[in-house]
Amino acid sequence: MSYQRPDLRLAPSPTPESQAFWTGGREGNLLISHCRACGHFFHPPGPACWRCRSTDVGPEKVSGRGSVAAFSVDRQPWIPGFEPPYIVAMVEIAEEPGVRLISNVVDVEPADMRIGLEVDVFFEDWTGLSGEEDTRVWIPLFRPVTH
Ligand SMILES: [Zn+2]
């Protein structure tokens, strides 16, 4: 099954904290919030580390590799332009267990999905309904690592 870009995606509206996450894909980078005080990554982005309360936090580039921690296969056409079946997954980043992103896994048959599947990030460039450049985001999506 080869992935086809959907007709429509609900583009996120980045906050000051999540701006880096949604636009890192411009340079092909997955940027995850990192705490310089305790050294942990965390997601979703926020103004402070939830572990140690430090505000010495900022986006840091990670490999884009991860593994599937949980997933569901949607077979109903809930979203116009989004052809089922599609897979919604929690992807755990390779750098730190427990740091998970919710995204889609594509280029995989639903029957081949499993917990622990190794995946790699890629980005889909979307502009908000206004078409303004400052609404442009790069949505991180994942597909299986091919060895
Ligand atoms: Zn911390």
Side-chain angles (χ1 to χ4, degrees):
M1 184 164 70
S2 183
Y3 176 63
Q4 293 202 326
R5 182 185 170 106
D7 297 331
L8 181 73
R9 267 188 192 275
L10 298 175
S13 299
T15 62
E17 286 87 23
S18 69
Q19 181 75 17
F21 176 76
W22 292 119
T23 57
R26 183 194 296 265
E27 277 83 40
N29 295 332
L30 182 61
L31 302 177
I32 301 294
S33 291
H34 185 256
C35 175
R36 284 177 282 267
C38 72
H40 285 286
F41 286 98
F42 62 95
H43 187 81
C49 172
W50 59 263
R51 281 191 183 81
C52 73
R53 305 286 175 202
S54 170
T55 54
D56 188 10
V57 300
E60 189 153 309
K61 182 183 172 184
V62 295
S63 65
R65 290 292 193 99
S67 62
V68 172
F71 69 94
S72 68
V73 178
D74 279 287
R75 298 180 188 279
Q76 299 298 319
W78 298 117
I79 307 170
F82 227 84
E83 287 303 308
Y86 57 91
I87 295 158
V88 177
M90 291 184 77
V91 173
E92 192 164 82
I93 65 169
E95 283 73 10
E96 186 165 339
V99 178
R100 297 172 169 186
L101 321 181
I102 294 174
S103 182
N104 296 129
V105 176
V106 303
D107 281 343
V108 61
E109 295 291 344
D112 294 333
M113 277 299 288
R114 57 181 172 76
I115 303 300
L117 182 73
E118 285 184 74
V119 292
D120 202 5
V121 77
F122 72 103
F123 298 92
E124 210 169 71
D125 176 3
W126 287 90
T127 302
L129 291 177
S130 71
E132 298 294 328
E133 177 67 18
D134 64 4
T135 65
R136 202 166 163 199
V137 293
W138 283 258
I139 296 179
L141 303 173
F142 292 85
R143 53 190 164 207
V145 170
T146 47
H147 291 281

